[in-house]
């Protein structure tokens, strides 16, 4: 089967592999296409496209945006948009600025908690600083032992240095992606709802806002999950995507293109995405 991976993160957000390294890894496991879906940024895409062309790995533009629908948090994936679209870039810059302000507030809270620590101590990165970077700094300073402890003690919702980041509404996010010529997909639909109690209503509501598809294949999805999601998606006329959410060493148990509980993502899904517009 011609496998693809439409959900990967690079060093331009909180992955530990550069776009070039992602292409090398994709080539090694014979993936036919990948999307780099960094949080709030498309900055890694040109490098991936250039190296993909060299290696024979197709690269489709991608991005992952945190959004909100009446208080329900979610991640929305954008695919196959025009990366250089100026309105898209302007809107992403708003999110990047909000993220930076959020990071500054997290550091202020950490100092209030008695840790002399500043954002300048985060090792230089080509892209967006996220909570995983802050977690790694806390580890390197010996404040916590590991990522889990960093999130549990300080960084996750409800912990002592948690600061909520500004999110666009789901409607604004879907519109932003459409206006750049792309398609909008709900990422890991069961992440906040393992029992899928609210997923049917959420998908119905998002479809009304213009949602194009859902992420069908994902490492946590069993064949039963896939079956249920396919039933919902078919009913609503949604397209499907799939990916590993590869973060490199940030999620060491996840390999690019891998889907331990289910099928790899087939190339046919990308064909359907490309045929849509
Ligand atoms: P941010 O976008 O800066 O808010 O950071 C969110 C990222 O942190 C997610 O995409 C995950 O990669 C990572 N993350 C969230 N919760 C945890 C956790 N409990 N342990 C490790 N990483 C996490
Ligand atoms: Zn991430
Ligand atoms: Fe996500
Ligand atoms: Fe992701």
């Amino acid at each position: 089967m011609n496998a693809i991976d439409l959900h990967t993160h690079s060093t331009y957000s909180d992955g530990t592999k550069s776009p070039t390294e992602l292409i090398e890894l994709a080539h090694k496991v014979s993936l036919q296409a990948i999307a780099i879906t960094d949080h709030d940024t498309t900055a890694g895409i040109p490098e991936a496209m250039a190296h993909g062309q060299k290696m024979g790995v197709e690269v489709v533009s991608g991005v992952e945006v945190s959004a909100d629908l009446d208080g329900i948090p979610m991640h929305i994936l954008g695919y196959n948009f025009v990366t250089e679209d100026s309105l898209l870039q302007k809107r992403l810059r708003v999110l990047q600025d909000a993220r930076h302000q959020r990071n500054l507030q997290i550091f202020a809270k950490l100092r209030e908690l008695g840790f002399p620590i500043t954002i300048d101590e985060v090792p230089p990165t080509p892209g967006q600083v996220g909570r995983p970077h802050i977690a790694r700094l806390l580890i390197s300073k010996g404040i916590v032992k590991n990522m889990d402890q960093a999130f549990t003690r300080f960084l996750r919702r409800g912990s002592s240095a948690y600061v909520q980041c500004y999110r666009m509404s789901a409607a604004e996010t879907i519109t932003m992606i459409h206006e750049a010529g792309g398609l909008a997909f709900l990422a890991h639909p069961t992440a906040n709802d393992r029992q899928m109690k609210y997923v049917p209503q959420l998908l119905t509501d998002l479809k009304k806002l213009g949602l194009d598809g859902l992420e069908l294949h994902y490492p946590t999805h069993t064949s039963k999950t896939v079956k249920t999601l396919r039933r919902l998606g078919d009913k609503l006329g949604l397209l499907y995507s799939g990916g590993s959410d590869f973060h490199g060493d940030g999620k060491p148990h996840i390999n690019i293109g891998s889907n331990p509980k289910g099928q790899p993502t087939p190339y046919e899904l990308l064909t359907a995405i490309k045929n849509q517009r």
Side-chain angles (χ1 to χ4, degrees):
M1 186 177 68
N2 301 321
I4 61 174
D5 190 336
L6 297 181
H7 193 157
T8 70
H9 293 270
S10 79
T11 42
Y12 284 89
S13 67
D14 55 358
T16 62
K17 303 290 183 199
S18 70
T20 296
E21 288 171 318
L22 286 178
I23 294 294
E24 292 287 326
L25 290 171
H27 179 72
K28 209 157 68 185
V29 298
S30 304
L31 294 180
Q32 201 174 343
I34 69 165
I36 294 192
T37 51
D38 278 319
H39 302 280
D40 306 340
T41 180
T42 63
I45 296 173
E47 180 187 322
M49 284 190 168
H51 199 62
Q53 212 152 34
K54 240 188 256 170
M55 304 297 294
V57 177
E58 182 179 347
V59 175
V60 57
S61 56
V63 69
E64 183 172 24
V65 176
S66 304
D68 170 284
L69 178 65
D70 299 332
I72 302 168
M74 71 194 76
H75 286 174
I76 293 178
L77 293 160
Y79 289 125
N80 207 25
F81 47 79
V82 178
T83 306
E84 315 78 43
D85 183 271
S86 60
L87 193 53
L88 170 71
Q89 291 306 330
K90 192 175 145 202
R91 287 163 165 166
L92 290 177
R93 233 158 13 240
V94 171
L95 299 180
Q96 293 160 10
D97 291 345
R99 169 183 286 279
H100 181 64
Q101 291 308 318
R102 189 274 318 251
N103 291 344
L104 291 176
Q105 288 172 16
I106 291 176
F107 277 94
K109 281 202 173 185
L110 287 168
R111 285 192 296 274
E112 267 171 42
L113 289 165
F115 304 103
I117 187 170
T118 72
I119 198 164
D120 303 324
E121 292 171 85
V122 175
T125 128
Q128 300 302 301
V129 172
R131 284 180 287 166
H133 299 88
I134 303 174
R136 283 196 281 274
L137 178 61
L138 290 170
I139 296 169
S140 76
K141 293 189 71 113
I143 296 170
V144 293
K145 284 202 195 72
N146 51 44
M147 294 295 274
D148 248 12
Q149 215 176 53
F151 274 89
T152 312
R153 275 185 68 190
F154 299 114
L155 299 174
R156 75 171 182 208
R157 191 183 291 262
S159 299
S160 54
Y162 177 76
V163 179
Q164 175 128 34
C165 198
Y166 162 75
R167 287 163 179 258
M168 290 200 293
S169 71
E172 288 171 311
T173 306
I174 293 168
T175 301
M176 168 179 84
I177 294 162
H178 283 173
E179 287 184 352
L183 299 181
F185 283 63
L186 179 64
H188 40 68
T190 70
N192 294 324
D193 181 13
R194 296 268 176 223
Q195 307 303 319
M196 286 196 263
K197 267 165 83 176
Y198 310 104
V199 167
Q201 188 60 49
L202 180 62
L203 285 170
T204 306
D205 294 344
L206 288 171
K207 170 72 187 179
K208 286 185 193 139
L209 300 175
L211 188 79
D212 300 287
L214 63 82
E215 192 169 43
L216 184 65
H217 302 289
Y218 194 76
T220 56
H221 292 180
T222 61
S223 56
K224 192 167 160 236
T225 312
V226 170
K227 212 169 141 188
T228 307
L229 286 172
R230 203 187 275 282
R231 191 159 38 76
L232 291 169
D234 285 355
K235 205 169 79 187
L236 291 166
L238 292 171
L239 295 168
Y240 301 113
S241 71
S244 64
D245 212 352
F246 182 73
H247 278 73
D249 306 333
K251 271 192 191 176
H253 53 292
I254 297 291
N255 293 314
I256 198 163
S258 77
N259 191 3
K261 289 188 180 168
Q263 301 293 316
T265 304
Y267 189 88
E268 286 69 36
L269 299 190
L270 179 56
T271 305
I273 291 173
K274 290 195 295 190
N275 284 342
Q276 193 68 13
R277 278 180 183 234

